[in-house]
């Protein structure tokens, strides 16, 4: 299943799992933001804490940072022979993805380029978030049957680290879950406006 409601057959089990995760993230984000007033969408529990809207915008901006590199890695992967081995993450990749999952265990300082604005309009933020998730969905589907381990990119946050295509997909989905969890904490805060 993909987030537009159509069914797509994938050959790689890992890719299928990523698509299912992405669909769950989109459904979760819709449920979390539907019907919020502008005040609720922008309410922050503290001066150094983010609103529901800021969490979504941060996910979107982060995905945009990876776009060009994912396209390059897909092109590089297409030039290689198709892989018959299923993709499996190594221990370091599993550790990085786990560290991104909610609740946050490892706090990372936010890069200025992905820092969200303060006063946000719900409709465009949600629309742009869904557009980026749809683009990621297209990238993941395009990777089905390709090698997910050979093409690499430098991390935009820690250039000393290099990640494979499979790692980039898994990390971005874990990162989205992390910030949706954060948005849910804001939504359930006792002082959240009703």
């Amino acid at each position: 299943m993909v987030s537009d409601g159509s069914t797509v057959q994938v050959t790689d089990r890992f890719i299928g799992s990523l698509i299912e995760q992405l669909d769950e993230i989109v459904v979760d984000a819709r449920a979390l933001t539907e019907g919020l007033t502008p005040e609720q969408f922008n309410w922050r529990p503290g001066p150094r804490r983010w609103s529901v809207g800021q969490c979504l915008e941060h996910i979107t901006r982060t995905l945009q940072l990876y776009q060009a590199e994912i396209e390059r890695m897909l092109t590089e992967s297409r030039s290689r022979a198709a892989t018959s081995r299923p993709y499996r993450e190594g221990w370091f990749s599993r550790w990085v993805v786990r560290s991104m999952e909610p609740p946050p265990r490892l706090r990372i300082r936010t890069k200025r380029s992905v820092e969200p604005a303060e006063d946000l309009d719900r409709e465009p933020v949600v629309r742009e978030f869904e557009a980026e998730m749809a683009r990621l969905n297209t990238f993941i589907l395009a990777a089905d049957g390709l090698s997910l381990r050979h093409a690499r990119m430098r991390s935009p946050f820690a250039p000393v680290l290099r990640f494979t295509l499979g790692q980039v997909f898994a990390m971005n989905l874990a990162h989205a879950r992390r910030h949706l969890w954060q948005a849910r904490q804001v939504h359930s805060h006792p002082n959240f406006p009703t």
Side-chain angles (χ1 to χ4, degrees):
M1 199 65 165
V2 290
S3 52
D4 67 359
S6 60
T7 301
V8 175
Q9 295 296 322
V10 295
T11 58
D12 186 288
R13 193 176 316 155
F14 180 72
I15 293 290
S17 167
L18 294 174
I19 294 298
E20 287 174 11
Q21 292 173 51
L22 190 148
D23 284 343
E24 289 170 9
I25 288 166
V26 171
V27 168
D28 192 23
R30 284 178 185 158
L32 190 61
T33 59
E34 200 168 29
L36 291 184
T37 66
E39 181 190 8
Q40 291 170 326
F41 194 68
N42 287 289
W43 184 81
R44 296 164 54 192
R48 296 178 54 97
R49 307 273 301 277
W50 286 349
S51 67
V52 170
Q54 287 176 307
C55 290
L56 251 66
E57 184 171 87
H58 171 71
I59 295 167
T60 301
R61 287 185 176 195
T62 302
L63 284 170
Q64 290 167 342
L65 267 187
Y66 284 89
Q67 229 176 72
E69 282 298 303
I70 291 174
E71 288 175 339
R72 182 195 58 76
M73 288 192 291
L74 284 169
T75 300
E76 185 179 331
S77 294
R78 282 187 202 101
S79 69
R80 296 178 173 272
T83 182
S84 57
R85 291 182 354 198
Y87 176 76
R88 282 194 338 201
E89 295 175 335
W91 70 268
F92 179 71
S93 177
R94 286 193 305 271
W95 177 83
V96 170
V97 171
R98 265 197 318 269
S99 72
M100 289 287 189
E101 294 286 359
R105 294 167 206 72
L106 177 66
R107 299 234 181 241
I108 303 164
R109 187 175 183 99
T110 304
K111 192 173 178 177
R112 191 171 299 236
S113 61
V114 293
E115 190 84 36
E118 289 202 14
D119 190 26
L120 298 164
D121 186 3
R122 186 175 72 86
E123 293 304 320
V125 169
V126 171
R127 189 170 47 249
E128 196 172 353
F129 167 82
E130 290 190 0
E132 282 307 314
M133 293 305 285
R135 188 173 288 113
L136 182 60
N137 185 79
T138 301
F139 289 153
I140 293 171
L141 287 173
D144 189 32
L146 302 179
S147 170
L148 300 175
R149 62 174 56 90
H150 291 100
R152 295 178 180 272
M153 70 168 281
R154 290 190 187 285
S155 166
F157 302 101
V160 70
L161 299 176
R162 290 169 51 89
F163 297 119
T164 66
L165 190 54
Q167 290 168 330
V168 168
F169 291 149
M171 283 186 318
N172 274 287
L173 293 175
H175 177 258
R177 280 190 293 273
R178 175 190 188 116
H179 288 290
L180 287 179
W181 177 90
Q182 180 184 2
R184 204 171 298 107
Q185 303 312 300
V186 172
H187 196 280
S188 61
H189 192 281
N191 296 334
F192 187 74
T194 54

